[in-house]
């Protein structure tokens, strides 16, 4: 189609279709509503199903049901909707359900400023359900990345049989940019591994803890038990401490053991730099301008734009820390991802947060003045 002028939410819908998404359910909530509109418009044209559910709880429930019958499912909401999704996200974790969840962030807490932007759901998204199991969370910085990372989110959901978050924001979601989606480089499409075990099939069977069980759709020829409760490899409820711990270790290992496979980051490393800026989402665009300004003034500075927030791309960040004396972490919240950076920072390196949550964007000058000069 060539160059187009589209918003991030449409790019998300297009990325989902490119990944062969064939089921969507959602409920209108600013600023994610246009994802619902785009999917309602586009998905039936390619033989898929798009539903405006009666509420958020029904939306994610429908998506889990569709995914477990073999569909590639997508849902989209904003902060208050993630609150309502929470219990069913836990069901997707324990049921090892491939699913993509879009969170178009807005200013919180609670209803907050529904039409204003923020990036305050970082830790909320990571810890949104009981149990504390790892999550895969991706974060785009632009309309083209919203397209690309939605596609990648489906690959990761299918590969690891997990719910995957795309954590975007109001500015990217409803802002239009000129993009050529045909020029966006995408990896090969990945589909879940389907079982051919017949009557001997166990829906949650694995040998190594990080192994992903083969999938068999509910309603097919093989029996797939699906429950919210602690269960064994066959899906039967269990109270065995050994079995429960092994399953918990499995949910953790299959994501944490795949950190390098999941890791996505853009690096702009300058030899001899003593300052490193680490950012994500819309704030990364201000950081890129701040870095350019600082270099024009003779300051050596490196930057990392983190696209896979969780699992934390520790190897990439640790390598970039070499020789660094100051790390600056700008965020449109009161300091959330900086906690992950502090855990990785060597002794003697100063970590500075530049935080803002008044619904306006962090400017390049603010990042320089508050992160470097002060």
């Amino acid at each position: 189609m060539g160059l187009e002028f589209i918003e991030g939410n449409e790019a998300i819908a297009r990325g989902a279709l490119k990944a062969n998404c064939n089921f969507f359910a959602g409920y209108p909530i600013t600023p994610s509503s246009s994802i619902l509109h785009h999917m309602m418009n586009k998905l039936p044209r390619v033989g898929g199903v798009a539903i405006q559910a009666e509420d958020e709880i029904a939306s994610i429930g429908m998506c889990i049901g569709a995914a477990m019958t073999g569909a590639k499912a997508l849902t989209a909401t904003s902060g208050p909707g993630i609150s309502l999704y929470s219990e069913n996200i836990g069901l997707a974790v324990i049921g090892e359900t491939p699913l993509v969840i879009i969170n178009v962030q807005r200013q919180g807490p609670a209803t907050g400023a529904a039409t204003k932007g923020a990036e305050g759901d970082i830790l909320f998204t990571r810890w949104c359900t009981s149990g504390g199991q790892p999550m895969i969370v991706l974060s785009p910085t632009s309309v083209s990345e919203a397209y690309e990372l939605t596609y990648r989110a489906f690959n990761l959901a299918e590969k690891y049989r997990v719910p995957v978050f795309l954590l975007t924001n109001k500015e990217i979601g409803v802002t239009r940019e000129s993009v050529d989606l045909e020029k966006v480089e995408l990896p090969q499409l990945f589909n879940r591994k389907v079982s051919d075990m017949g009557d001997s099939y166990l829906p949650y069977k694995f040998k190594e803890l990080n192994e992903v069980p083969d999938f068999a759709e509910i309603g097919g020829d093989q029996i797939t038990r699906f429950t919210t409760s602690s269960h064994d490899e066959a899906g039967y409820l269990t109270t065995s401490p050994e079995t429960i711990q092994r399953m918990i270790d499995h949910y953790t290992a299959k994501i944490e053991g795949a950190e390098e496979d999941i890791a996505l980051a853009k690096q702009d490393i300058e030899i001899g730099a003593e300052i490193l800026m680490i950012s994500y989402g819309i704030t990364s665009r201000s950081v890129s301008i701040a870095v350019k300004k600082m270099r024009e003034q003779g300051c050596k500075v490196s930057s990392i734009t983190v696209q896979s927030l969780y699992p934390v791309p520790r190897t990439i960040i640790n390598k970039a820390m070499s020789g660094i004396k100051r790390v600056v972490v700008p965020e449109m919240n009161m300091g959330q991802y900086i906690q992950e950076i502090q855990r990785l920072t060597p002794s003697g390196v100063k970590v500075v947060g530049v935080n803002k949550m008044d619904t306006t964007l962090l400017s390049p000058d603010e990042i320089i003045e508050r992160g470097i000069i002060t």
Side-chain angles (χ1 to χ4, degrees), residues 2-15:
L3 200 63
E4 301 177 82
F5 191 54
I6 63 172
E7 65 171 17
N9 284 349
E10 180 175 357
I12 287 169
R14 298 266 291 275

Side-chain angles (χ1 to χ4, degrees), residues 241-260:
E242 294 80 8
T243 301
I244 291 172
Q245 186 64 59
R246 187 167 185 267
M247 296 301 293
I248 293 294
D249 290 343
H250 161 64
Y251 305 143
T252 301
K254 69 177 181 175
I255 294 179
E256 290 189 347
E259 175 199 319
E260 294 194 14

Side-chain angles (χ1 to χ4, degrees), residues 68-331:
M68 290 307 295
T69 59
K72 282 191 170 184
L74 172 73
T75 188
T77 189
S78 189
I82 295 294
S83 298
L84 295 170
Y85 280 13
S86 177
E87 184 176 3
N88 270 333
I89 292 171
L91 172 59
V93 170
I94 201 169
E96 303 194 57
T97 306
L99 173 66
V100 176
I101 303 168
I102 311 295
N103 179 2
V104 186
Q105 297 169 97
R106 71 189 204 190
Q107 175 76 12
T111 301
T115 61
K116 302 293 184 180
E119 290 183 324
D121 295 356
I122 309 304
L123 292 177
F124 180 31
T125 303
R126 167 63 185 89
W127 300 105
C128 63
T129 190
S130 61
Q133 275 67 50
M135 291 286 180
I136 298 177
V137 183
L138 307 183
S139 175
T141 67
S142 65
V143 170
S144 62
E145 285 186 15
Y147 172 78
E148 175 193 351
L149 294 187
T150 300
Y151 178 95
R152 288 182 178 272
F154 275 95
N155 270 5
L156 293 170
E158 294 284 307
K159 188 172 185 178
Y160 296 105
R161 280 192 62 178
V162 290
V164 175
F165 278 102
L166 185 79
L167 190 57
T168 180
N169 52 65
K170 187 270 291 186
E171 282 77 16
I172 293 172
V174 297
T175 298
R176 291 180 180 269
E177 291 186 83
S178 295
V179 295
D180 186 347
L181 298 183
E182 293 178 352
K183 292 185 177 179
V184 176
E185 293 185 10
L186 301 173
Q188 184 176 350
L189 193 63
F190 190 97
N191 293 311
R192 68 196 72 170
K193 185 180 177 183
V194 177
S195 171
D196 58 1
M197 297 294 290
D199 292 340
S200 63
Y201 173 68
L202 297 176
Y204 309 103
K205 182 176 177 57
F206 53 90
K207 293 180 180 179
E208 302 298 326
L209 290 176
N210 64 351
E211 184 180 337
V212 180
D214 291 354
F215 180 87
E217 62 187 41
I218 291 175
D221 295 333
Q222 301 173 88
I223 295 175
T224 297
R225 300 175 187 87
F226 193 70
T227 173
T228 64
S229 298
S230 297
H231 56 254
D232 61 16
E233 291 182 341
Y236 288 117
L237 273 62
T238 181
T239 59
S240 163
E242 294 80 8
T243 301
I244 291 172
Q245 186 64 59
R246 187 167 185 267
M247 296 301 293
I248 293 294
D249 290 343
H250 161 64
Y251 305 143
T252 301
K254 69 177 181 175
I255 294 179
E256 290 189 347
E259 175 199 319
E260 294 194 14
D261 181 50
I262 297 168
L264 291 168
K266 290 185 175 180
Q267 303 180 66
D268 183 4
I269 305 299
E270 185 171 23
I271 296 173
E274 295 184 348
I275 298 170
L276 174 64
M277 291 198 183
I278 300 177
S279 60
Y280 56 87
I282 193 67
T283 305
S284 297
R285 300 173 74 154
S286 291
V287 167
S288 67
I289 297 172
V291 167
K292 182 180 179 181
K293 283 189 171 186
M294 291 171 65
R295 287 175 176 171
E296 288 172 349
Q297 296 168 9
C299 181
K300 289 189 174 183
V301 56
S302 295
S303 70
I304 295 177
T305 300
V306 181
Q307 296 172 297
S308 58
L309 296 177
Y310 294 99
V312 178
R314 292 171 293 183
T315 302
I316 293 173
I317 294 172
N318 283 333
K319 185 176 180 181
M321 291 275 191
S322 178
I324 296 297
K325 294 183 178 179
R326 175 183 286 244
V327 178
V328 181
V329 187
E331 301 184 82

